[in-house]
Amino acid sequence: MLGGIRTAVDAATVLLGWTFRSRTKNKISESRIGFAPNEIGGRMVTVAPKKVNARRWSLLSGALMFACLVVAIVLGDTPAAYTLPIHKVVAIPAFARKYGLPCSACHTAWPKLNNFGMTFRDNGYQLMNDRDSPIYQNPSYFPITMRITPNWHLEHNTNQAVDTTPGNGATAGSSNVTTHGFDLSGIDLWTAGTLYNNISFSLLPSSDENASFHFENAFVRFDNLKGSSWFNFKFGKFELNNLISEKRFLFLSANGGSYQSYHFVPPGDTNDFGMGDNQIGVELMGHSKNDYTRYSVAVLSANDGNVDFLSAFGTPSGRTYDTYLTFDQAFDLGSFGIQRVGGYAYIGERPTYYQTGGGTPLYGIGNKPFYRVGFTGDLNFGKLNIMPFYMHGHDNVFLGNGVPSNMASSLPAGAQGPAWNAGFVEFGYYQSPQLVIIGRYELVRMQAQANSANPSNLGNIDAYAVGFRWYPIMFSRAGLALHTEYAITKNIGIAPLSGTGSASVNPNDPTVWSSSFMVGFDFDF
Amino acid sequence: MKRIAITFALMLPVVVLLLLTSASPCLAQIDHNIKPVNGSAEAKVGGLTGHAAGEQQGGIMLYRRFCVGCHGPAGDGTGENAQWIDPKPRDFTLAVFKCRSTPTGTLPTDDDLFNAVTRGFDTTNMPSWRPLTDQQRANLVAAVKSFSPRWQNEKPGTPITIPAETPINIESVLRGRALFQKMECWKCHGPAGHGDGPSASTLTDSKDNPIRPYNFSTGTRFKCGTTNQDLYRIFMTGLDGTPMPSFNDVLKPEDAWDLVHFLRTLQPLTTQEASLWKAYETAHRSEIKPIGPDNGAGGSK
Amino acid sequence: MKTKFFVTLAAVVLAGSAMLVAAGPPAGNGTITGKVTYTGTPPKMKPIDMTKEPSCAKQHATPVTTENVMTGPGNTLEDVVVFISAGDAGPAEPSGAARYDQKGCQYLPHVLPMQVGQQLQIYNDDQTSHNIHPLAKTNQEWNKSQPAGSPPIDTKYEKPEFIPVKCNIHPWMHGYFVVLSTGHYSVTGQDGAFSLKGLPAGKYTVTAWQEQYGTQTQDVTLGAGESKAITFSFKALPY
């Protein structure tokens, strides 16, 4: 069975690489960039113009991945795989060091959590063994870890603005842009654990590749209130309780390293919300003792997790509060493992214009609602893990058209609140605790355009990603993964979420194919 | 430029391959080749059959994911982290276990091992593995059994009979207190159960590691459970591998229940026994002889 | 003439076989005797402080000492178990139970040899509780409480092993069960002397075991009814 899957994955990889070369389609183009800055701790973004044949690079990427994959599978499970010339190091990942468990106990493949690890996190980073309080640790223990991924990557975008005569801005044209080279990711410096029995904390200063820092999360959580696992109160900036966590998934490339669904806003929409962005507020969360049943209720500021009462665009945010509700339930399917399904609903408002003072915006007003609802799943069939996800998103008509709510006459004729359906299926095949093959297909389909003059497919996205991670060492001190990934997205009338390119400038073709290929060493200690 | 990029891209897997297969003076710290003695061991827990073997979720595969860091690839308690852990991880090759329903010196039942894995051990690094499915835990029990040949040659002991609990009243508590004195529990556990008896500081386990007796005044969960039945079972089967002996041959069942009721009064938990004792102690303070040497003439409490 | 010879021969053979059959396994009356001595300097035995157990402390006018290396005059080693480890017919019918006493918070004898399957009785002669905790690895390790005045513990071991015995309550108490698969064994006294009796003719391996210095072996070939003397010499270190 392994041989069959291997062949299938390899074939798919090469096929994908060859198939998704650039193409043009006859649709009217219309583009407005409208997506929130990507807040995932430091994913790489580099653009440098170069002109290379897209088809050859796609094929090469596929072939290279095939080669690396073969190497990893062959060596993934044999003793030779562990004879790396690494001497004993002293520093160790925080929780593994505290409790002596290997990384694989809590992570299917770090950073993705398995059920035991999720229970540990939901307990407030506690094993509940009466030794969780920091008083029991050696004073030299410091709960900090750092993660960075030096890599080599290649970015390719079609229908970009390219001057036909280099250096002459008057010779504008549209063409493909390919860039590649060695690069760094940002760095995560994460400290988390317990301040005391049943009081946990997390602080994650995260930088992009230019060492520009922001706080990805910073919170205090009061765990097991009233002695019950059903009441845990979190205060601060934190990741939403998404069953499928974008912060903990196994994709790192520019095009693969985000869920489209978690950030999508249609072209022309002035909403800055992304479900994958960490938010600031409070959360009441509860779970059963074995973590099979989980719920959360959160109240968050309407600023997409940005500080100083600013929106993601740097403009003043409104004074309303969003609500987020989740629920998930796990089922014990015997030797298959645990199957988990859940649902979520995010309901919020965003301002459409500002109260000003002397002409300067003071705070946002004219708040109009939006929501994101859907279901998620985390299913296991032996070594295969499949995660389906569905979202229905809807923004108010004023948000969707970028029109202040007190100027209804400025709405274009036939304007409506944009609505869309998005979803993905992600799979991971865990050949061993040290080798995982990953893949994902995602799509976004507009259901109702904000402006009826827009073509019906404006803003539609298809995204594909495939890759593998091989962990040559797997113990409680540090982690290292060889990460190889290929991702390609098809963006109609919208700039790719990867940020590596802009929306199509080709008047005959609104589609931008954006692809990334990446090989890097992801390490943390 | 293109050519350089292509060359590099093709070189990368070759370089990685070379790195991995080159001889190295320092081998990686952890050996993931789990070495069971009997790779096809099985366990029967409730209606489930646990298997050590199995590519998908077999016990040995799960052991590698969850257990090897402390218990080691040979199951002998010498995992990479064992040197920093106290108490040390269990050595499965000896097949000596603390929490059993079977008499001292005999093998535990599969259910005993299943309960130990599910419950974990408070005040140690052994977590509760309840978030795993029942089948996964049954497979892990089979994996535990795969490390010692004793399981192939011996059958588990016959679980001791735990008769129905006798009524909880102050007379039972007082009889239990007399037994605590007479059986000399206080020599290790201390007159007030603080784990500070005269012999407490010299106690070593069967591997000569220092070990402390249970300190009742902390109220932490017993190694082997939380209920009165669990407490009864602890001293009537003994905690093998530790200084805690079995009292099965020297205590009658009703005496054992009296002792259970008294031991509860030493814990800071809200129990019927504790409130009975508090009331009695307040009323009869001058009559109570302290526990300790010389049959209570000296010592505290 | 020939007939008579053969008849006589047959009679002799028959008689001889009958004797053999009647006699059972070859009894023999060969012996291996000798002495166990040491060279070098043995460690000094330290006095044991029993103040934590007054009921035992008062049983000893002068404090008892540790017993891991017991010596006698003339550089002899005491408490060495000498036994046939190869060449004999295996365990014999034990003549009763082996007896182990806890008296004055000491194990008497310090080293108790016994045969596999032989009944072992452990007595508590003290006014204090002991827990009897033989640290077997090949046999089962068990741990039982034996309060003052309890009846003896009755048990046996099925596999040969050198089993250290300890009491957790009284950490200075150390002893050994030496479980053997032979009926021919002897423990040296202060004079270091041992004797293995009742050996039929044959090739034997004799092993001497001392708890601190381990084992030594020698091969001895005995003729019928022969008596041989051998010596064992252990190298003693002062620690």
Side-chain angles (χ1 to χ4, degrees):
Chain A
M1 172 173 172
L2 176 62
I5 288 188
R6 221 195 282 176
T7 319
V9 169
D10 297 341
T13 310
V14 177
L15 198 61
L16 275 174
W18 181 81
T19 310
F20 295 110
R21 59 205 188 282
S22 61
R23 279 185 287 195
T24 58
K25 276 216 168 97
N26 251 343
K27 292 268 180 186
I28 306 164
S29 70
E30 176 80 48
S31 61
R32 277 273 298 277
I33 298 173
F35 69 99
N38 192 327
E39 264 196 52
I40 303 165
R43 300 293 176 249
M44 64 299 299
V45 177
T46 45
V47 179
K50 200 164 198 263
K51 188 173 169 171
V52 175
N53 187 310
R55 195 180 307 185
R56 189 179 301 175
W57 276 111
S58 300
L59 181 56
L60 189 62
S61 310
L64 182 54
M65 277 194 57
F66 173 80
C68 284
L69 184 58
V70 168
V71 168
I73 288 180
V74 162
L75 295 174
D77 220 9
T78 62
Y82 314 118
T83 57
L84 284 181
I86 292 174
H87 290 256
K88 215 170 174 92
V89 292
V90 178
I92 32 190
F95 297 137
R97 176 171 45 161
K98 184 175 177 183
Y99 294 106
L101 296 164
C103 301
S104 54
C106 291
H107 297 274
T108 53
W110 66 263
K112 185 172 187 300
L113 291 174
N114 63 25
N115 202 54
F116 180 75
M118 182 145 58
T119 311
F120 174 74
R121 184 196 61 189
D122 289 343
N123 278 329
Y125 307 120
Q126 300 185 106
L127 278 188
M128 313 306 291
N129 65 350
D130 254 18
R131 286 290 179 269
D132 296 305
S133 180
I135 197 67
Y136 292 111
Q137 303 309 312
N138 188 305
S140 64
Y141 165 75
F142 202 72
I144 194 163
T145 185
M146 78 114 255
R147 176 185 176 198
I148 191 170
T149 311
N151 60 85
W152 178 94
H153 69 112
L154 179 152
E155 307 296 335
H156 173 76
N157 288 279
T158 65
N159 287 333
Q160 300 294 298
V162 173
D163 299 337
T164 47
T165 307
N168 188 346
T171 62
S174 141
S175 181
N176 302 333
V177 172
T178 305
T179 51
H180 57 82
F182 291 101
D183 205 353
L184 291 178
S185 74
I187 187 173
D188 286 343
L189 290 169
W190 186 26
T191 170
T194 51
L195 296 172
Y196 186 67
N197 205 27
N198 284 329
I199 304 180
S200 55
F201 74 96
S202 172
L203 175 61
L204 210 180
S206 177
S207 86
D208 64 9
E209 60 279 7
N210 288 309
S212 158
F213 274 88
H214 66 284
F215 288 110
E216 184 171 317
N217 73 43
F219 65 80
V220 173
R221 185 174 187 263
F222 299 94
D223 316 298
N224 300 308
L225 293 167
K226 293 227 153 282
S228 166
S229 61
W230 291 102
F231 301 105
N232 303 275
F233 182 73
K234 188 188 286 191
F235 187 108
K237 180 171 180 178
F238 47 85
E239 183 187 5
L240 294 174
N241 187 31
N242 299 322
L243 178 60
I244 301 181
S245 162
E246 192 185 46
K247 298 288 183 277
R248 282 209 172 81
F249 73 165
L250 301 174
F251 295 87
L252 295 174
S253 70
N255 273 294
S258 327
Y259 289 125
Q260 305 289 335
S261 320
Y262 280 32
H263 299 279
F264 179 77
V265 270
D269 193 318
T270 52
N271 191 347
D272 68 345
F273 173 71
M275 213 167 86
D277 299 332
N278 287 4
Q279 307 291 325
I280 310 188
V282 295
E283 177 192 271
L284 177 69
M285 183 263 179
H287 61 102
S288 60
K289 272 241 147 47
N290 60 1
D291 222 38
Y292 281 19
T293 309
R294 303 167 69 243
Y295 82 88
S296 80
V297 176
V299 173
L300 311 149
S301 259
N303 54 12
D304 200 40
N306 291 289
V307 296
D308 294 341
F309 304 153
L310 294 174
S311 75
F313 307 126
T315 52
S317 60
R319 299 166 302 169
T320 56
Y321 295 89
D322 301 343
T323 312
Y324 187 55
L325 306 155
T326 68
F327 177 82
D328 58 82
Q329 175 66 48
F331 303 94
D332 175 350
L333 260 199
S335 51
F336 278 128
I338 294 171
Q339 319 300 330
R340 201 180 274 276
V341 293
Y344 63 90
Y346 192 102
I347 304 148
E349 288 186 338
R350 286 294 186 269
T352 53
Y353 64 106
Y354 305 96
Q355 171 63 319
T356 55
T360 313
L362 296 172
Y363 51 85
I365 48 177
N367 296 292
K368 286 299 175 189
F370 69 94
Y371 64 79
R372 311 276 184 267
V373 297
F375 64 79
T376 58
D378 189 344
L379 311 170
N380 294 286
F381 305 101
K383 291 185 176 181
L384 184 64
N385 169 246
I386 295 180
M387 293 191 293
F389 176 87
Y390 167 73
M391 169 192 279
H392 179 75
H394 177 276
D395 280 7
N396 178 268
V397 60
F398 288 97
L399 286 174
N401 287 282
V403 167
S405 61
N406 59 355
M407 294 165 56
S409 50
S410 304
L411 285 172
Q416 54 184 336
W420 61 94
N421 296 304
F424 62 78
V425 173
E426 181 174 308
F427 80 86
Y429 181 74
Y430 296 87
Q431 206 272 320
S432 77
Q434 289 168 253
L435 177 64
V436 57
I437 298 160
I438 47 181
R440 182 171 75 244
Y441 169 62
E442 184 169 15
L443 69 156
V444 178
R445 291 290 179 267
M446 291 300 296
Q447 184 184 320
Q449 293 285 340
N451 186 334
S452 55
N454 290 345
S456 60
N457 66 350
L458 180 73
N460 283 0
I461 297 173
D462 286 84
Y464 310 83
V466 70
F468 71 87
R469 281 170 72 84
W470 172 49
Y471 302 82
I473 53 173
M474 175 66 69
F475 52 120
S476 323
R477 296 304 193 237
L480 174 68
L482 169 65
H483 184 100
T484 306
E485 182 183 332
Y486 175 77
I488 184 163
T489 60
K490 172 187 175 190
N491 308 274
I492 301 179
I494 190 172
L497 184 59
S498 61
T500 56
S502 55
S504 171
V505 301
N506 184 339
N508 300 321
D509 178 18
T511 305
V512 166
W513 286 92
S514 181
S515 61
S516 311
F517 175 69
M518 172 194 169
V519 175
F521 282 99
D522 186 9
F523 65 92
D524 91 327
F525 76 88
Chain B
M1 191 55 208
K2 197 192 327 181
R3 224 163 272 167
I4 293 172
I6 295 176
T7 318
F8 159 74
L10 288 172
M11 255 181 55
L12 184 62
V14 178
V15 168
V16 169
L17 193 55
L18 279 174
L19 264 178
L20 298 164
T21 52
S22 60
S24 147
C26 301
L27 294 177
Q29 275 100 304
I30 193 170
D31 179 0
H32 283 135
N33 287 322
I34 312 298
K35 302 179 192 64
V37 159
N38 170 21
S40 50
E42 288 196 347
K44 293 248 181 316
V45 178
L48 294 170
T49 306
H51 302 275
E55 254 295 301
Q56 298 292 326
Q57 295 266 297
I60 295 293
M61 292 309 294
L62 294 172
Y63 181 92
R64 174 186 170 181
R65 171 174 280 283
F66 295 110
C67 320
V68 71
C70 295
H71 290 283
D76 57 3
T78 58
E80 52 168 4
N81 293 302
Q83 51 190 305
W84 288 283
I85 291 174
D86 181 38
K88 296 274 173 248
R90 177 90 358 230
D91 179 351
F92 299 131
T93 62
L94 298 176
V96 169
F97 295 92
K98 290 207 280 250
C99 296
R100 307 171 322 282
S101 53
T102 59
T104 178
T106 61
L107 292 172
T109 62
D110 292 349
D111 279 303
D112 292 334
L113 294 173
F114 183 83
N115 290 335
V117 168
T118 303
R119 198 174 41 219
F121 289 84
D122 276 1
T123 74
T124 76
N125 281 58
M126 173 65 184
S128 157
W129 294 100
R130 206 182 301 269
L132 273 53
T133 65
D134 287 343
Q135 180 66 58
Q136 288 174 318
R137 277 175 273 133
N139 290 350
L140 282 173
V141 169
V144 165
K145 289 166 69 173
S146 73
F147 289 112
S148 169
R150 276 187 70 181
W151 296 96
Q152 293 166 288
N153 307 324
E154 276 172 62
K155 290 216 131 15
T158 312
I160 63 165
T161 323
I162 304 181
E165 187 172 357
T166 57
I168 302 174
N169 49 43
I170 190 62
E171 290 81 19
S172 175
V173 168
L174 289 170
R175 283 194 300 268
R177 189 168 190 272
L179 279 170
F180 189 81
Q181 168 74 41
K182 176 164 164 240
M183 293 290 129
E184 300 190 352
C185 313
W186 53 271
K187 283 218 167 138
C188 294
H189 287 284
H194 287 253
D196 58 354
S199 300
S201 56
T202 51
L203 292 177
T204 54
D205 66 10
S206 305
K207 290 207 174 208
D208 284 333
N209 296 313
I211 188 171
R212 302 302 306 250
Y214 178 70
N215 180 348
F216 288 86
S217 68
T218 61
T220 58
R221 190 181 67 187
F222 304 125
K223 286 281 181 300
C224 306
T226 52
T227 65
N228 282 6
Q229 276 73 22
D230 294 325
L231 183 51
Y232 182 106
R233 201 183 300 117
I234 287 175
F235 59 79
M236 294 302 259
T237 61
L239 297 178
D240 280 358
T242 74
M244 177 66 193
S246 161
F247 287 81
N248 196 45
D249 296 349
V250 298
L251 275 181
K252 294 200 286 293
E254 52 274 15
D255 292 339
W257 280 120
D258 291 335
L259 186 54
V260 166
H261 297 151
F262 170 70
L263 291 173
R264 283 297 191 194
T265 68
L266 299 174
Q267 291 185 298
L269 306 171
T270 317
T271 55
Q272 199 181 343
E273 298 91 335
S275 43
L276 282 169
W277 171 253
K278 256 203 233 342
Y280 178 86
E281 198 186 12
T282 323
H284 299 92
R285 196 175 297 276
S286 48
E287 297 161 31
I288 298 173
K289 281 212 292 209
I291 293 177
D294 304 324
N295 208 28
S300 52
K301 195 181 170 129
Chain C
M1 208 38 137
K2 238 194 244 179
T3 328
K4 219 199 261 178
F5 170 74
F6 278 119
V7 166
T8 323
L9 182 62
V12 168
V13 167
L14 274 170
S17 333
M19 265 174 29
L20 276 170
V21 166
N29 46 11
T31 58
I32 302 176
T33 59
K35 249 191 183 177
V36 182
T37 56
Y38 66 85
T39 58
T41 324
K44 279 205 159 47
M45 292 297 99
K46 301 187 198 50
I48 294 173
D49 176 6
M50 288 196 192
T51 49
K52 278 201 172 150
E53 192 56 71
S55 67
C56 282
K58 63 178 186 239
Q59 291 186 43
H60 306 285
T62 54
V64 297
T65 59
T66 54
E67 296 172 297
N68 41 317
V69 180
M70 300 288 281
T71 57
N75 288 9
T76 55
L77 269 178
E78 192 183 339
D79 275 342
V80 177
V81 179
V82 183
F83 60 96
I84 304 285
S85 48
D88 76 344
E93 198 54 48
S95 54
R99 180 175 167 135
Y100 207 55
D101 281 85
Q102 297 159 102
K103 192 172 170 59
C105 292
Q106 272 194 301
Y107 290 126
L108 299 171
H110 175 63
V111 170
L112 177 63
M114 65 191 83
Q115 293 190 61
V116 292
Q118 180 175 5
Q119 189 191 13
L120 166 63
Q121 286 184 325
I122 304 167
Y123 288 79
N124 182 359
D125 309 315
D126 282 334
Q127 282 155 9
T128 172
S129 254
H130 289 292
N131 73 297
I132 181 90
H133 193 170
L135 297 167
K137 291 216 161 43
T138 318
N139 291 284
Q140 292 172 343
E141 174 190 337
W142 50 263
N143 184 358
K144 288 188 179 170
S145 169
Q146 201 174 18
S150 319
I153 290 177
D154 227 303
T155 182
K156 59 180 155 85
Y157 285 103
E158 299 294 346
K159 305 199 195 99
E161 191 181 354
F162 300 102
I163 305 175
V165 183
K166 77 175 184 183
C167 170
N168 296 101
I169 305 174
H170 307 110
W172 58 82
M173 288 175 71
H174 291 292
Y176 276 86
F177 293 150
V178 179
V179 185
L180 300 166
S181 54
T182 171
H184 296 110
Y185 53 80
S186 163
V187 184
T188 61
Q190 265 225 319
D191 57 1
F194 63 87
S195 83
L196 303 166
K197 299 195 184 59
L199 292 165
K203 276 214 202 35
Y204 296 102
T205 311
V206 185
T207 303
W209 171 87
Q210 201 277 343
E211 71 180 74
Q212 185 135 327
Y213 300 128
T215 54
Q216 281 191 10
T217 57
Q218 278 189 42
D219 288 330
V220 177
T221 311
L222 273 189
E226 198 184 339
S227 211
K228 274 215 174 126
I230 56 171
T231 55
F232 287 96
S233 180
F234 285 90
K235 191 137 157 224
L237 293 166
Y239 44 84

